[in-house]
Amino acid sequence: MSQQDIIEGRVLSVTCTVTPGNPSSTTFYWTKVDNSEFRQNGPTLQFPNIGRTSSGAYRCTAVNIYSNGEKGTHSQFMAISVLYPPIVHKLSQQDIIEGKDLSVNCTATPGNPSATTLYWTKVDNPGFRQNGPTLHLPKIKRTSPGTYKCTAENIYNDREKGSGSQSLVINVLYQPTIESKQLQIVNESVKVILTRNISSNPLSNASWYSKTELLITQTSVTTASFIIERATCIDTKNFTLVVSNGVGSTATAMVELIVNCKPIPDKINITTGVSFTKGIEFSSTIIAYPEPLYELEYKNGKRNNQIMNNITRNAVNNFTVYFRQPFVDQRSFGLYYLILRNLFGESTVIVNVIEQR
């Protein structure tokens, strides 16, 4: 009887035939060479769902009974080889920092036949394949994480293969980067939400600062945000966003906010004493955005054309207006109105120029 090669899980049925003896009445039974307890009566050996443990040498025995009660027997041996795939050993998740080299070795318990081929694929990339037991990812990138699969194959016959596989999760860790955005310009009294998207693995902790003052800290975020419920002129500033996740360096970004607002002078009343030898000299510092226009008028609305003036920007929304008149006469004394205006409103500073004796 020829050897039977059968794939695990399939149905095997082998019928034993004989040339009858004398007497011709014949009974059959099957036994297994390495298992004294195994016996199937009848000419047909049947395995409806054959397992790998059923491989081995089987014997079909034909028996007839002589008239004197003795038995005549004859046997034939048959080998059954159950074909089954290799078993890939379990793989553990790999956490690796971006830029480093990763090598993971895949091992397998051979199947039948024992000749085994191993290769790697990536679940979300049908074009990825590496042949051999070792997965090599040199200088790994943040685009490389995902689920990889190690597959072990053996060849049953010309048409069929056996295969087993295990999945491997690769997690690429990388330091945070903060998206770049242009400055944000808003009007006074509106609600402001400053946001920056963060790219990192693992997720980052984000802290917002105004100069050295810590405003808020957020943990494990992909978007850092800071809310100002009602913006005022003094909220115009450069906030600092500091982000870290324990991998590599801390990331820092400047977040610039400008609030449109009407001019707000530091003083609404200025009294300056002058003499005929000293002249007029005073200034006013203003918070405003955009830069204000200004006029200095007498109480009656006329202008003093002899007084010199200029404006200096101290910060994006902070200005100082300077006035100077080296020579004065009696007409120089009195009440002036310093009118400051921009697109968002105007303010008035009352300036009282008195004679200093």
mmCIF file of all heavy atoms in Angstrom, residues 193-216:
data_model
loop_
_atom_site.group_PDB
_atom_site.id
_atom_site.type_symbol
_atom_site.label_atom_id
_atom_site.label_comp_id
_atom_site.label_asym_id
_atom_site.label_seq_id
_atom_site.Cartn_x
_atom_site.Cartn_y
_atom_site.Cartn_z
ATOM 1 N N ILE A 193 -9.613 82.029 21.806
ATOM 2 C CA ILE A 193 -9.074 80.688 22.048
ATOM 3 C C ILE A 193 -7.789 80.552 21.229
ATOM 4 O O ILE A 193 -7.830 80.524 19.997
ATOM 5 C CB ILE A 193 -10.075 79.593 21.662
ATOM 6 C CG1 ILE A 193 -11.383 79.775 22.423
ATOM 7 C CG2 ILE A 193 -9.482 78.214 21.957
ATOM 8 C CD1 ILE A 193 -12.456 78.775 22.030
ATOM 9 N N LEU A 194 -6.673 80.500 21.929
ATOM 10 C CA LEU A 194 -5.384 80.286 21.279
ATOM 11 C C LEU A 194 -5.133 78.790 21.208
ATOM 12 O O LEU A 194 -5.228 78.087 22.224
ATOM 13 C CB LEU A 194 -4.265 80.966 22.065
ATOM 14 C CG LEU A 194 -4.391 82.478 22.262
ATOM 15 C CD1 LEU A 194 -3.290 82.983 23.188
ATOM 16 C CD2 LEU A 194 -4.334 83.217 20.931
ATOM 17 N N THR A 195 -4.844 78.266 20.032
ATOM 18 C CA THR A 195 -4.621 76.826 19.871
ATOM 19 C C THR A 195 -3.379 76.561 19.032
ATOM 20 O O THR A 195 -3.033 77.342 18.140
ATOM 21 C CB THR A 195 -5.815 76.136 19.191
ATOM 22 O OG1 THR A 195 -5.991 76.675 17.877
ATOM 23 C CG2 THR A 195 -7.085 76.309 20.000
ATOM 24 N N ARG A 196 -2.730 75.453 19.350
ATOM 25 C CA ARG A 196 -1.633 74.943 18.539
ATOM 26 C C ARG A 196 -1.720 73.415 18.528
ATOM 27 O O ARG A 196 -1.837 72.786 19.582
ATOM 28 C CB ARG A 196 -0.266 75.366 19.100
ATOM 29 C CG ARG A 196 0.047 76.854 18.952
ATOM 30 C CD ARG A 196 0.170 77.283 17.510
ATOM 31 N NE ARG A 196 0.575 78.668 17.359
ATOM 32 C CZ ARG A 196 -0.250 79.687 17.318
ATOM 33 N NH1 ARG A 196 -1.551 79.479 17.433
ATOM 34 N NH2 ARG A 196 0.200 80.917 17.162
ATOM 35 N N ASN A 197 -1.675 72.830 17.338
ATOM 36 C CA ASN A 197 -1.653 71.377 17.223
ATOM 37 C C ASN A 197 -0.256 70.854 17.517
ATOM 38 O O ASN A 197 0.746 71.481 17.150
ATOM 39 C CB ASN A 197 -2.087 70.941 15.824
ATOM 40 C CG ASN A 197 -3.549 71.222 15.570
ATOM 41 O OD1 ASN A 197 -4.378 71.148 16.475
ATOM 42 N ND2 ASN A 197 -3.885 71.557 14.338
ATOM 43 N N ILE A 198 -0.205 69.706 18.175
ATOM 44 C CA ILE A 198 1.063 69.110 18.591
ATOM 45 C C ILE A 198 1.173 67.722 17.975
ATOM 46 O O ILE A 198 0.249 66.916 18.067
ATOM 47 C CB ILE A 198 1.142 69.007 20.124
ATOM 48 C CG1 ILE A 198 0.981 70.382 20.764
ATOM 49 C CG2 ILE A 198 2.455 68.361 20.556
ATOM 50 C CD1 ILE A 198 0.701 70.332 22.248
ATOM 51 N N SER A 199 2.308 67.458 17.355
ATOM 52 C CA SER A 199 2.587 66.125 16.823
ATOM 53 C C SER A 199 3.624 65.470 17.712
ATOM 54 O O SER A 199 4.741 65.981 17.847
ATOM 55 C CB SER A 199 3.087 66.224 15.380
ATOM 56 O OG SER A 199 3.457 64.952 14.885
ATOM 57 N N SER A 200 3.262 64.337 18.333
ATOM 58 C CA SER A 200 4.207 63.651 19.222
ATOM 59 C C SER A 200 3.697 62.254 19.530
ATOM 60 O O SER A 200 2.514 61.967 19.392
ATOM 61 C CB SER A 200 4.392 64.425 20.532
ATOM 62 O OG SER A 200 3.203 64.391 21.314
ATOM 63 N N ASN A 201 4.612 61.404 19.947
ATOM 64 C CA ASN A 201 4.250 60.073 20.451
ATOM 65 C C ASN A 201 5.264 59.685 21.521
ATOM 66 O O ASN A 201 6.450 59.598 21.228
ATOM 67 C CB ASN A 201 4.262 59.035 19.335
ATOM 68 C CG ASN A 201 3.733 57.697 19.803
ATOM 69 O OD1 ASN A 201 2.892 57.613 20.676
ATOM 70 N ND2 ASN A 201 4.256 56.635 19.233
ATOM 71 N N PRO A 202 4.825 59.490 22.761
ATOM 72 C CA PRO A 202 3.437 59.541 23.229
ATOM 73 C C PRO A 202 2.907 60.974 23.257
ATOM 74 O O PRO A 202 3.634 61.915 22.930
ATOM 75 C CB PRO A 202 3.539 58.951 24.645
ATOM 76 C CG PRO A 202 4.927 59.287 25.088
ATOM 77 C CD PRO A 202 5.774 59.168 23.851
ATOM 78 N N LEU A 203 1.655 61.122 23.685
ATOM 79 C CA LEU A 203 1.048 62.449 23.765
ATOM 80 C C LEU A 203 1.846 63.343 24.715
ATOM 81 O O LEU A 203 2.514 62.870 25.630
ATOM 82 C CB LEU A 203 -0.399 62.344 24.242
ATOM 83 C CG LEU A 203 -1.365 61.606 23.306
ATOM 84 C CD1 LEU A 203 -2.751 61.546 23.932
ATOM 85 C CD2 LEU A 203 -1.421 62.257 21.939
ATOM 86 N N SER A 204 1.731 64.639 24.493
ATOM 87 C CA SER A 204 2.553 65.610 25.211
ATOM 88 C C SER A 204 1.780 66.345 26.292
ATOM 89 O O SER A 204 0.559 66.483 26.217
ATOM 90 C CB SER A 204 3.131 66.634 24.225
ATOM 91 O OG SER A 204 4.071 66.031 23.370
ATOM 92 N N ASN A 205 2.540 66.848 27.264
ATOM 93 C CA ASN A 205 2.027 67.814 28.227
ATOM 94 C C ASN A 205 2.384 69.207 27.725
ATOM 95 O O ASN A 205 3.497 69.435 27.246
ATOM 96 C CB ASN A 205 2.628 67.580 29.604
ATOM 97 C CG ASN A 205 2.246 66.220 30.168
ATOM 98 O OD1 ASN A 205 1.218 65.660 29.810
ATOM 99 N ND2 ASN A 205 3.065 65.681 31.047
ATOM 100 N N ALA A 206 1.433 70.135 27.840
ATOM 101 C CA ALA A 206 1.628 71.485 27.303
ATOM 102 C C ALA A 206 1.407 72.514 28.406
ATOM 103 O O ALA A 206 0.436 72.420 29.166
ATOM 104 C CB ALA A 206 0.671 71.745 26.143
ATOM 105 N N SER A 207 2.311 73.483 28.483
ATOM 106 C CA SER A 207 2.201 74.560 29.479
ATOM 107 C C SER A 207 2.249 75.901 28.770
ATOM 108 O O SER A 207 3.094 76.135 27.900
ATOM 109 C CB SER A 207 3.342 74.466 30.497
ATOM 110 O OG SER A 207 3.255 73.273 31.243
ATOM 111 N N TRP A 208 1.335 76.800 29.175
ATOM 112 C CA TRP A 208 1.268 78.154 28.634
ATOM 113 C C TRP A 208 1.841 79.131 29.653
ATOM 114 O O TRP A 208 1.518 79.056 30.844
ATOM 115 C CB TRP A 208 -0.172 78.537 28.334
ATOM 116 C CG TRP A 208 -0.790 77.783 27.197
ATOM 117 C CD1 TRP A 208 -1.383 76.562 27.252
ATOM 118 C CD2 TRP A 208 -0.884 78.207 25.833
ATOM 119 N NE1 TRP A 208 -1.848 76.189 26.013
ATOM 120 C CE2 TRP A 208 -1.560 77.189 25.119
ATOM 121 C CE3 TRP A 208 -0.481 79.351 25.146
ATOM 122 C CZ2 TRP A 208 -1.829 77.278 23.760
ATOM 123 C CZ3 TRP A 208 -0.755 79.445 23.778
ATOM 124 C CH2 TRP A 208 -1.410 78.419 23.109
ATOM 125 N N TYR A 209 2.672 80.071 29.171
ATOM 126 C CA TYR A 209 3.302 81.067 30.034
ATOM 127 C C TYR A 209 3.058 82.463 29.483
ATOM 128 O O TYR A 209 3.000 82.674 28.259
ATOM 129 C CB TYR A 209 4.813 80.844 30.121
ATOM 130 C CG TYR A 209 5.236 79.604 30.858
ATOM 131 C CD1 TYR A 209 5.336 78.382 30.203
ATOM 132 C CD2 TYR A 209 5.550 79.659 32.219
ATOM 133 C CE1 TYR A 209 5.732 77.234 30.873
ATOM 134 C CE2 TYR A 209 5.948 78.517 32.904
ATOM 135 C CZ TYR A 209 6.043 77.318 32.230
ATOM 136 O OH TYR A 209 6.437 76.185 32.910
ATOM 137 N N SER A 210 2.933 83.397 30.416
ATOM 138 C CA SER A 210 3.039 84.814 30.092
ATOM 139 C C SER A 210 4.307 85.292 30.761
ATOM 140 O O SER A 210 4.377 85.406 31.985
ATOM 141 C CB SER A 210 1.833 85.594 30.614
ATOM 142 O OG SER A 210 2.017 86.976 30.405
ATOM 143 N N LYS A 211 5.348 85.511 29.947
ATOM 144 C CA LYS A 211 6.699 85.718 30.453
ATOM 145 C C LYS A 211 7.079 84.525 31.332
ATOM 146 O O LYS A 211 7.133 83.406 30.846
ATOM 147 C CB LYS A 211 6.809 87.062 31.174
ATOM 148 C CG LYS A 211 6.602 88.253 30.246
ATOM 149 C CD LYS A 211 6.808 89.578 30.966
ATOM 150 C CE LYS A 211 6.630 90.742 29.998
ATOM 151 N NZ LYS A 211 6.777 92.055 30.661
ATOM 152 N N THR A 212 7.302 84.725 32.641
ATOM 153 C CA THR A 212 7.665 83.599 33.502
ATOM 154 C C THR A 212 6.479 83.046 34.283
ATOM 155 O O THR A 212 6.614 82.073 35.022
ATOM 156 C CB THR A 212 8.764 84.028 34.484
ATOM 157 O OG1 THR A 212 8.279 85.131 35.275
ATOM 158 C CG2 THR A 212 10.017 84.450 33.740
ATOM 159 N N GLU A 213 5.302 83.650 34.118
ATOM 160 C CA GLU A 213 4.131 83.219 34.873
ATOM 161 C C GLU A 213 3.451 82.033 34.172
ATOM 162 O O GLU A 213 3.069 82.121 33.009
ATOM 163 C CB GLU A 213 3.130 84.364 34.998
ATOM 164 C CG GLU A 213 1.859 83.972 35.743
ATOM 165 C CD GLU A 213 0.767 85.029 35.674
ATOM 166 O OE1 GLU A 213 1.004 86.087 35.033
ATOM 167 O OE2 GLU A 213 -0.319 84.800 36.232
ATOM 168 N N LEU A 214 3.309 80.927 34.914
ATOM 169 C CA LEU A 214 2.608 79.763 34.379
ATOM 170 C C LEU A 214 1.111 80.022 34.423
ATOM 171 O O LEU A 214 0.532 80.287 35.473
ATOM 172 C CB LEU A 214 2.949 78.510 35.200
ATOM 173 C CG LEU A 214 2.189 77.228 34.821
ATOM 174 C CD1 LEU A 214 2.482 76.827 33.382
ATOM 175 C CD2 LEU A 214 2.543 76.099 35.791
ATOM 176 N N LEU A 215 0.460 79.920 33.251
ATOM 177 C CA LEU A 215 -0.978 80.195 33.145
ATOM 178 C C LEU A 215 -1.813 78.926 33.271
ATOM 179 O O LEU A 215 -2.828 78.902 33.961
ATOM 180 C CB LEU A 215 -1.281 80.887 31.820
ATOM 181 C CG LEU A 215 -0.535 82.202 31.573
ATOM 182 C CD1 LEU A 215 -0.808 82.691 30.159
ATOM 183 C CD2 LEU A 215 -0.936 83.247 32.597
ATOM 184 N N ILE A 216 -1.399 77.871 32.584
ATOM 185 C CA ILE A 216 -2.167 76.629 32.595
ATOM 186 C C ILE A 216 -1.284 75.505 32.073
ATOM 187 O O ILE A 216 -0.406 75.733 31.245
ATOM 188 C CB ILE A 216 -3.452 76.753 31.721
ATOM 189 C CG1 ILE A 216 -4.344 75.534 31.882
ATOM 190 C CG2 ILE A 216 -3.102 76.978 30.267
ATOM 191 C CD1 ILE A 216 -5.679 75.644 31.157
#
